[in-house]
Amino acid sequence: MTSAPLIEAKNLSMHFKLGGRFSPGGPQVLRAVDDVSLTVQRGETLGLVGESGCGKSTLGRCLMRLYRPTGGTVLFEGRDITATGNRALRPLRPRMQMVFQDPASSLNPRRRVGDLVAEPLKVHPGPDGKAHSRAEIRARLVELMDLVGLQADHLDRYPHEFSGGQRQRIGIARALALNPALVVADESVSALDVSVQAQIVNLFMDLQDRLGITYVFIAHDLSVIRQMSRRTAVMYLGAVVETGSTDTIFAQPAHPYTGALISAVPVPDVSGARRERIILRGDVPSPLKPPPGCRFHTRCPKAQDRCRVEPPLLRPMTGGQLAACHYPLV
Amino acid sequence: MLDRTPSEPLLSVDSLTVSFRTEHGLITAVDKVSFAIRPGELVSLVGESGSGKSLTSLAVMGLITDPNAILTGSIRYKGRELVGLSRHKLQAVRGNEIAMIFQDPMSAMTPVYTIGWQIAEQLRAHRKLTKKQARTRAIELLAEMGMPSPEVQVDRYPHQLSGGMRQRAMIAMALSCDPSLLIADEPTTALDVTVQAQILRLIEQLQRNHGSAVILVTHDMGVVAEVADRVMVMYAGRIVEEGPKEPVFMHPGHPYTEGLLRSIPPMHGVRPHRLIAIPGAPPSPANRPPGCRFSPRCAYRYEPCGIDPPLFRKEQQDIACYRAEALLEPVGVQRP
Amino acid sequence: MGFILLRRLGEMLFVMAGISVLVFLIFFVTPGADPAARIAGRNASPEVLAAVRHDFGFDQPIWVQYLLLMKRLFITGDLTSFVNRGQKVIPSILEALPITFSLLLGAAVLWVVVSILIGVTAAMMRGTWVDKTLMVLGLIGVSMPVFWVGEVANLITQSRYHDTWLFSWVPALGYVPLTQDPWGWFKALVVPWITLAILYIGLYGRVLRASLVEAYQEDFIRTARAKGLSERRILIRHALRTSLVTFVSLFGLDFGALVGGGTLLVEYVFGLQGVGFLTFNAFGNLDLPMIMAAVMYASVFVVGANAVVDILYATLDPRVRTSRA
């Protein structure tokens, strides 16, 4: 078994141009993802966490090649797919799938669950290069429903007959239909009630145990990220500010932003002393005009003159993680 | 900590029921909910989608305008019955005595007016102020909410502010007439976690400084633990557990409360291999099971659960579950 | 702001150039439109025809003819009709303008006031028989052809019931200048105003009701109630104010189109020699200079109305304003 990463991003950037040449103020560039490098090993889960507008979803879409990155490279199973055309990507599509946030809007309400889940099987040929037969499809559908904890007779119903949690199970079944190696889950549990969210988090983890799927798990909820992923990357304004083992990052965050983010999460725990909280000033700046120097310096409690000028690079910290900070917490 | 000596309740809600006439018959969304709020306390009304928590808070404000809604029961504010009050008299209470803030301050503010205009509008609806005085007061309020350069921000439109600043403006507006009760319906749900922390801290401070009682409606047990004095847990249109925060979190009496707390992934300590999830999903108001509404999802279910459980008192907690019965005396009236 | 205006102006010139070329080309490929034959009159000898062709420059390349026409229309301003020799085109349009404006302004006041009343009443009494009746009436108003309404109005006020006390005040068809006799001007236009307004009252009443009903679903209405505002204030300051954006932009576009000649049918029916009437006649005679002038004039107003609507839009909705700034 080679130790080549399943998917790798090198200096990946995704810049969107806003406004035309003739719009007042000229064209603007939204740096949704700016020079991000990361690797995801086979069978592991990488958590991508950050606040709204940090670029985590855009990064996920770049990895899936739903967007064509404006800079850097994406390697999937060692192969450069940065500029691969749609036709050439087709045979790779079954290997990489996505699960979205809102199960209600990503499932066509007029089609039966069976048709929805079978769709990828009808579009893509089997591993032998031949189209799937009806019997094969039916058998696979029953298998998939069992895998995600639904019943075979659910296949004949319509999405609206299901609860939010069940609809998300359907979305997962569809993503799994072609035995993908990589699943990018974009806020897949955020819209669910807490009691149901736990079921779906468990389902994701069980599926990984059984099928060895690799996840890129995108979420704004830190507790879900901590539960799901062995490695975590924290994003702020389009860049990764800290990455490393989840346990290290949550126990001993090095970047002041990570520290503030973790301390800001309200915890359902009334025992013991209240934790010391870092409350950040202000709001996230616009990604159209990221601050110079360190992007976080406008809100950072530890910012110094150097931070306003010199952008910090990711470098190893004592805990073993990488963080982009001149004056880390540990 | 707040003084817990019994005092005259500020708000007492008794057997509040909200139902809707639909094609499929009468659907009861809030079912005989009773509770009391004392002056100056911060009570959290917690529940998942469809639990009826938002409808309960809207009912207190008299904001259920659906012509198909039927509201019964009693809502007494400072001893005065609000149910059935004339529109004119209700207007004098709303925004003045009881104020409300909402989840999404972007859609909750009229897009075509500046925030200063909107705050002044509320002030002038209840106080005899000139436009200039109202504007000055609006700037003061915005400053109190921690808004930087309020004399500039006062003339900005809602869409020109960030989410956190918009929610500050919304809170400034709600507190403009010094209400005795503030109802906050998921005030931080639409915000990022670092901004949520700012707003929660602000609500705490304001409650301390203004002495307003607060009903904080939320789905997030973390938020409850962070700020509430007392908790009311709603499930499927009913309050299933109520009590001071500490005992409810340390020894949850209702299996639903317990399940809710357990299903949250921990932020510290050992990471469980699997989360302890509650099976199934919360029922929609149209298909609520008979008897205890939680029984189909409950691990402790046994025969008596087919009949609606009354509230049992366990020290400071009120729990609607038969598991408590062996030890406890029932309080209140048995539900039919 | 200056930038936006400049861009608008550029757009207008572009649209006008495009339309003029199109009109010009269509004219020359229309069978039987040969201007020389029309100018020379029936049974003209080939020699006369050739002379006319030469005099008017019809023997020159088509693009030279186009440029010549444009030059006479916009620069020297002495373009004359092909059909009524010597009739200058620009003064004719300027003469017709007050008539069209008189007709339109009165009708616009009428339709704005009445449709706001109808829209607000229907929205406030939503679901009741009042709402339903008003909306059906609105639909009827929208469905009735203006031409037909005008003819019926004439039938009633000019002949059938003209001699009754109700309509005896209605003067004979035609226009009375405001400066000459204001009361006569008013009397002559009342019936045309109503005729023109009916369609728009129906349309605007329905649109306003729909956007008010939509506004009442908005969260900010709930906030306004939570603030303890009176229902009257909520209606006027919050619901109506936010619904106005749709209403005003619709109005701007319709007004522009009507000034540009959209009042043609009403002018024709009531014998008002406005711009629409002029255009109608020019098309009937295949009078290219007149057609060209009328079309250019109309496009100025239509494009101009679009620009005004955009500016109004930004004034009424601050969200639009900042996204442009």
Side-chain angles (χ1 to χ4, degrees), chain A residues 220-242:
Chain A
H220 68 275
D221 185 330
L222 282 114
S223 64
V224 169
I225 288 285
R226 181 176 186 264
Q227 177 67 21
M228 275 298 301
S229 46
R230 291 295 155 266
R231 284 201 308 122
T232 297
V234 182
M235 289 186 73
Y236 186 76
L237 277 179
V240 170
V241 295
E242 182 160 4

Side-chain angles (χ1 to χ4, degrees), chain A residues 29 52-53 78 88-89 106 117 130 133 175 194 210 214 218 246 265 270 301 316:
Chain A
V29 177
S52 52
L89 275 175
S106 61
V117 179
K130 278 187 284 187
S133 71
V194 194
R210 289 170 67 174
T214 308
I218 302 168
T246 303
V265 177
V270 291

Side-chain angles (χ1 to χ4, degrees), chain A:
Chain A
M1 187 95 179
T2 57
S3 63
L6 180 69
I7 192 155
E8 189 173 5
K10 287 182 183 164
N11 307 101
L12 194 71
S13 293
M14 185 72 218
H15 296 175
F16 294 99
K17 284 205 178 69
L18 299 183
R21 250 184 307 165
F22 297 110
S23 67
Q28 287 178 297
V29 177
L30 184 129
R31 295 160 188 274
V33 175
D34 207 12
D35 195 16
V36 166
S37 299
L38 47 84
T39 58
V40 189
Q41 302 296 335
R42 270 171 214 279
E44 77 162 348
T45 302
L46 175 74
L48 271 184
V49 69
E51 295 178 289
S52 52
C54 73
K56 55 189 192 296
S57 286
T58 309
L59 178 56
R61 276 154 209 253
C62 285
L63 293 177
M64 289 288 296
R65 273 305 319 281
L66 296 178
Y67 290 146
R68 184 175 180 154
T70 49
T73 46
V74 182
L75 300 173
F76 182 71
E77 295 178 323
R79 198 176 135 189
D80 186 344
I81 58 163
T82 321
T84 311
N86 274 334
R87 185 177 288 269
L89 275 175
R90 250 181 83 88
L92 288 179
R93 289 275 176 228
R95 313 266 307 133
M96 36 166 53
Q97 289 291 319
M98 199 153 183
V99 180
F100 296 96
Q101 169 173 4
D102 184 4
S105 66
S106 61
L107 298 174
N108 183 346
R110 286 157 200 271
R111 302 188 58 198
R112 286 172 207 274
V113 169
D115 296 330
L116 290 166
V117 179
E119 197 177 21
L121 294 166
K122 289 176 181 159
V123 173
H124 291 280
D128 52 0
K130 278 187 284 187
H132 298 271
S133 71
R134 287 184 74 132
E136 271 173 356
I137 290 177
R138 184 73 199 173
R140 180 72 182 140
L141 288 181
V142 173
E143 192 185 1
L144 283 166
M145 293 312 262
D146 182 54
L147 208 54
V148 298
L150 294 172
Q151 274 112 53
D153 62 330
H154 286 152
L155 288 167
D156 299 321
R157 300 205 199 156
Y158 290 93
H160 70 85
E161 297 174 59
F162 294 88
S163 67
Q166 286 172 315
R167 276 198 291 257
Q168 195 54 286
R169 287 174 195 270
I170 297 166
I172 294 170
R174 185 154 79 150
L176 293 184
L178 296 164
N179 269 319
L182 174 71
V183 168
V184 174
D186 189 1
E187 298 280 10
S188 303
V189 298
S190 315
L192 303 173
D193 277 319
V194 194
S195 68
V196 177
Q197 175 178 297
Q199 299 168 9
I200 303 297
V201 168
N202 283 340
L203 175 65
F204 271 113
M205 300 195 66
D206 293 346
L207 289 169
Q208 187 166 48
D209 286 348
R210 289 170 67 174
L211 306 170
I213 309 171
T214 308
Y215 292 129
V216 173
F217 205 86
I218 302 168
H220 68 275
D221 185 330
L222 282 114
S223 64
V224 169
I225 288 285
R226 181 176 186 264
Q227 177 67 21
M228 275 298 301
S229 46
R230 291 295 155 266
R231 284 201 308 122
T232 297
V234 182
M235 289 186 73
Y236 186 76
L237 277 179
V240 170
V241 295
E242 182 160 4
T243 176
S245 130
T246 303
D247 288 332
T248 315
I249 288 182
F250 277 76
Q252 285 206 303
H255 199 286
Y257 177 64
T258 317
L261 205 56
I262 291 169
S263 83
V265 177
V267 179
D269 181 9
V270 291
S271 62
R274 246 168 103 161
R275 295 161 299 122
E276 194 43 52
R277 276 204 144 169
I278 310 167
I279 294 204
L280 292 178
R281 290 164 289 157
D283 299 281
V284 183
S286 158
L288 285 171
K289 288 177 222 144
C294 172
R295 289 154 199 264
F296 185 57
H297 83 251
T298 52
R299 304 175 75 201
C300 184
K302 301 189 78 183
Q304 317 229 352
D305 288 341
R306 183 184 174 194
C307 307
R308 294 180 188 98
V309 200
E310 187 189 331
L313 299 172
L314 278 173
R315 60 190 175 91
M317 296 288 133
T318 44
Q321 74 269 47
L322 299 173
C325 181
H326 297 305
Y327 306 102
L329 299 172
V330 287

Side-chain angles (χ1 to χ4, degrees), chain C residues 273-318:
Chain C
Q273 314 251 339
V275 182
F277 201 92
L278 205 65
T279 318
F280 179 78
N281 279 334
F283 275 107
N285 297 334
L286 287 171
D287 188 358
L288 179 65
M290 202 54 117
I291 294 175
M292 191 60 90
V295 168
M296 288 296 96
Y297 152 86
S299 61
V300 168
F301 274 99
V302 172
V303 179
N306 262 302
V308 171
V309 165
D310 272 15
I311 292 163
L312 274 177
Y313 207 85
T315 326
L316 288 174
D317 194 336

Side-chain angles (χ1 to χ4, degrees), chain C residues 1-20:
Chain C
M1 205 53 173
F3 188 84
I4 296 172
L5 280 180
L6 216 67
R7 197 168 84 175
R8 275 285 165 197
L9 210 64
E11 270 173 33
M12 192 191 285
L13 289 177
F14 184 78
V15 169
M16 285 171 71
I19 292 177
S20 62

Side-chain angles (χ1 to χ4, degrees), chain B residues 20-40:
Chain B
F20 293 90
R21 283 183 287 257
T22 70
E23 294 163 35
H24 313 290
L26 204 63
I27 288 176
T28 304
V30 175
D31 197 1
K32 298 196 189 73
V33 162
S34 304
F35 61 87
I37 308 288
R38 286 184 290 273

